[in-house]
């Protein structure tokens, strides 16, 4: 049989029976997969930057303002990385903002600062991290072993942590006086603020943990179908507890960063940050129902919200109007998630 005969037997490219080209199928899959979602986030961020340049001019498009945006994004970004793991695992953590505030207050008490001055400023960091992990473990135990819905358990922690922070601080602002602590967290490395470097390190570590480790695969499995994960041999309860502890650890790190940025511990630190973190995670493509998460998407989500807030501020837009815009973005992101999920189910 000649090559001409083989070619003549194949269906014509334009005929009904012709199968779609494999290259086109692969390209379409890429656009609907993580790469496509991240491309959409990049386009959205670029569009916001264009609006900022057009409306605010040099006030927006300068290096100092860029560093300001990154500095503000760093604290929220670390919180959002921890939130990504919890939501990917099928839960939610409403307490991260309050735990941040509690960690900042506890780490800046007179006793803690005196100990830090006598030994090393790392004591303040360890205290904040311990508070965060402790609060996260309590959440995890209540959810995993107490069978309390994560929304209720973390809502209770949100109220309790904020109240405990007010009691410890006596509703006062505690100024950080440990100079070495402030010098480290307010320093620049290669012209970039230390807080931004911390955010970058946490983001890379979070990406590796979620995408390149057994812990990450188990997180996706638990969020996708907890019962199937249990039957596959995953200790679902213990893993769920670890996820909330990880979120608490992120809140503790963010608390230390907040101390470095504001130079003060206060019970109002991190107020409503949990809502911004959830919004950034959802906009970044992590499913609220669990089973799919994206650290890269979360980072872009944080940058989108922080840049958008900066553009609003540069144009003297009221806080109320900012809230309306943010709410619309969150609703749009959830609707888009549902539409993509419907398409995925229809395709299978």
């Amino acid at each position: 049989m000649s090559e001409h005969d083989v070619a003549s037997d194949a269906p014509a490219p334009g005929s009904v029976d012709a199968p779609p080209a494999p290259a086109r199928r692969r390209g379409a899959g890429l656009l609907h997969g993580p790469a496509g979602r991240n491309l959409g986030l990049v386009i959205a961020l670029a569009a916001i930057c264009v609006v900022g340049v057009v409306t605010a001019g040099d006030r927006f498009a300068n290096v100092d303002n860029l560093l300001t945006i990154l500095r503000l994004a760093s604290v929220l970004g670390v919180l959002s990385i921890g939130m990504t793991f919890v939501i990917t695992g099928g839960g939610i953590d409403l307490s991260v903002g309050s735990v941040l505030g509690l960690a900042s207050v506890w780490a800046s008490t007179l006793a803690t600062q005196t100990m830090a001055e006598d030994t090393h400023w790392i004591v303040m960091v360890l205290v904040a991290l311990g508070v965060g992990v402790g609060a996260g473990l309590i959440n995890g135990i209540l959810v995993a072993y107490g069978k309390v819905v994560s929304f209720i358990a973390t809502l209770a922690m949100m109220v309790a942590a904020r109240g405990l922070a007010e009691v410890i601080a006596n509703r006062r602002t505690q100024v950080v006086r440990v100079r070495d602590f402030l010098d480290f967290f307010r320093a620049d490395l290669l012209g970039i603020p230390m807080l931004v470097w911390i955010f970058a390190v946490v983001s890379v570590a979070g990406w590796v943990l979620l995408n390149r480790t057994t812990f990450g695969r188990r997180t996706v499995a638990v969020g996708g179908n907890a019962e199937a994960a249990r039957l596959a041999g995953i200790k679902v309860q213990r893993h769920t507890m670890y996820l909330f502890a990880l979120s608490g650890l992120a809140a503790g790190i963010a608390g230390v960063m907040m101390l470095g940025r504001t130079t003060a511990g206060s019970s109002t630190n991190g107020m409503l940050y949990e809502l911004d973190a959830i919004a950034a995670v959802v906009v970044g493509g992590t499913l609220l129902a669990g089973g799919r998460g994206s650290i890269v998407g979360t980072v872009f989500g944080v940058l989108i919200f922080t840049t958008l807030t900066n553009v609003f501020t540069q144009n003297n837009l009221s806080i109320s109007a900012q809230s309306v815009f943010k709410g619309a973005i969150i609703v749009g992101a959830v609707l888009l998630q549902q539409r993509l999920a419907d398409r995925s189910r229809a395709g299978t």
Side-chain angles (χ1 to χ4, degrees), residues 185-205:
F185 285 98
R186 296 174 71 85
D188 291 346
L189 180 62
L190 301 177
I192 300 175
M194 186 61 65
L195 297 182
V196 179
W197 284 110
I198 295 173
F199 175 33
V201 170
V202 171
S203 299
V204 171

Side-chain angles (χ1 to χ4, degrees), residues 133-154:
V133 172
L137 282 174
I138 293 174
N139 284 333
I141 291 171
L142 289 175
V143 173
Y145 298 100
K147 305 300 182 182
V148 179
V149 178
S150 61
F151 182 92
I152 300 300
T154 58

Side-chain angles (χ1 to χ4, degrees), residues 138-338:
I138 293 174
N139 284 333
I141 291 171
L142 289 175
V143 173
Y145 298 100
K147 305 300 182 182
V148 179
V149 178
S150 61
F151 182 92
I152 300 300
T154 58
L155 180 63
M157 178 59 72
M158 178 182 74
V159 176
R162 189 72 66 185
L164 182 57
E166 291 176 353
V167 170
I168 294 174
N170 197 22
R171 295 181 179 271
R172 297 176 181 175
T173 299
Q174 301 176 160
V175 179
V176 177
R177 296 183 174 84
V178 182
R179 180 53 51 186
D180 291 342
F181 177 91
L182 296 178
D183 289 343
F184 179 83
F185 285 98
R186 296 174 71 85
D188 291 346
L189 180 62
L190 301 177
I192 300 175
M194 186 61 65
L195 297 182
V196 179
W197 284 110
I198 295 173
F199 175 33
V201 170
V202 171
S203 299
V204 171
W207 184 88
V208 172
L209 186 61
L210 184 61
N211 296 282
R212 292 292 182 268
T213 66
T214 303
F215 183 89
R217 290 191 291 272
R218 288 175 177 173
T219 299
V220 173
V222 170
N225 190 324
E227 181 60 21
R230 185 187 67 82
L231 294 175
I234 298 175
K235 298 184 184 301
V236 174
Q237 290 178 313
R238 187 172 66 183
H239 192 83
T240 299
M241 182 182 68
Y242 289 162
L243 289 176
F244 281 96
L246 183 61
S247 180
L249 175 63
I253 297 173
V256 174
M257 297 168 69
M258 181 69 77
L259 276 180
R261 197 182 82 189
T262 63
T263 72
S266 172
S267 59
T268 60
N269 282 344
M271 187 75 74
L272 299 181
Y273 270 38
E274 58 275 354
L275 301 183
D276 289 339
I278 294 171
V281 171
V282 172
V283 169
T286 298
L287 287 179
L288 270 175
R292 188 186 77 198
S294 171
I295 298 296
V296 175
T298 294
V299 171
F300 278 119
V302 170
L303 293 177
I304 285 173
F305 271 101
T306 309
T307 306
L308 189 63
T309 300
N310 184 266
V311 172
F312 288 155
T313 303
Q314 296 282 357
N315 289 278
N316 297 319
L317 202 64
S318 68
I319 299 297
S320 301
Q322 294 183 33
S323 300
V324 171
F325 275 104
K326 288 181 179 180
I329 292 173
I330 296 170
V331 171
V334 173
L335 291 176
L336 181 61
Q337 280 191 3
Q338 293 177 344

Side-chain angles (χ1 to χ4, degrees), residues 287 289-290 335-348:
L287 287 179
L335 291 176
L336 181 61
Q337 280 191 3
Q338 293 177 344
R339 184 175 180 182
L340 292 174
D342 291 342
R343 283 185 177 182
S344 178
R345 284 192 293 267
T348 55

